[in-house]
Amino acid sequence: IKQAYLTSRGNERIRNTTGHGIRPMFEKTRKTGAGLVRDESNNEISRTLFDSIWKRCGHRKVYKIRMIKNHDGLKLEFDLFTGRLLGLRVLEVEFKSEQDALSFIPPKWVGKWVEVTDDLRFTNGQLALFSARHELKSLLDEFKNQLGGNSIIL
């Protein structure tokens, strides 16, 4: 997945999704709200429009590999970031209700984790603003100290 953010606010992005057995998809997304409950509108765009916007987004870009696993009727999306965010791993789950989200406990095989839903520093739009690896390291060191280890899934 390649994502670029149109502004530093991070609420509007373009995305190119490719993978084994799927056709490349290009879309523009606008998100509103913050934290646990957010609205999202997606519109498919052409590759030509994607490429044109991509060039104008500067360093406000995120690269990641997404792995999807189904668990207890939920789709768990593991994002493994690459590039200057290498080492960051985020688990994202969308729920049918706020109550479902609040009662969710990740499966044991996820390992050590920290809840960052309400931490705006971990939105992809904000992560895209990191200009250097040391910024990510500083942020992750906070959580390593909480967990007492090196393995983190957020």
Side-chain angles (χ1 to χ4, degrees), residues 101-152:
L102 294 171
S103 63
F104 177 71
I105 298 172
K108 290 190 185 302
W109 47 261
V110 167
K112 297 176 182 179
W113 61 279
V114 175
E115 173 62 59
V116 295
T117 299
D118 292 319
D119 189 333
L120 297 179
R121 298 174 299 175
F122 284 93
T123 64
N124 283 323
Q126 289 302 305
L127 292 170
L129 296 177
F130 284 10
S131 60
R133 294 249 330 123
H134 73 273
E135 293 177 78
L136 175 64
K137 183 182 180 320
S138 174
L139 184 57
L140 292 181
D141 282 348
E142 290 179 40
F143 294 104
K144 285 181 183 178
N145 292 333
Q146 285 180 24
L147 296 172
N150 293 325
S151 180
I152 299 178

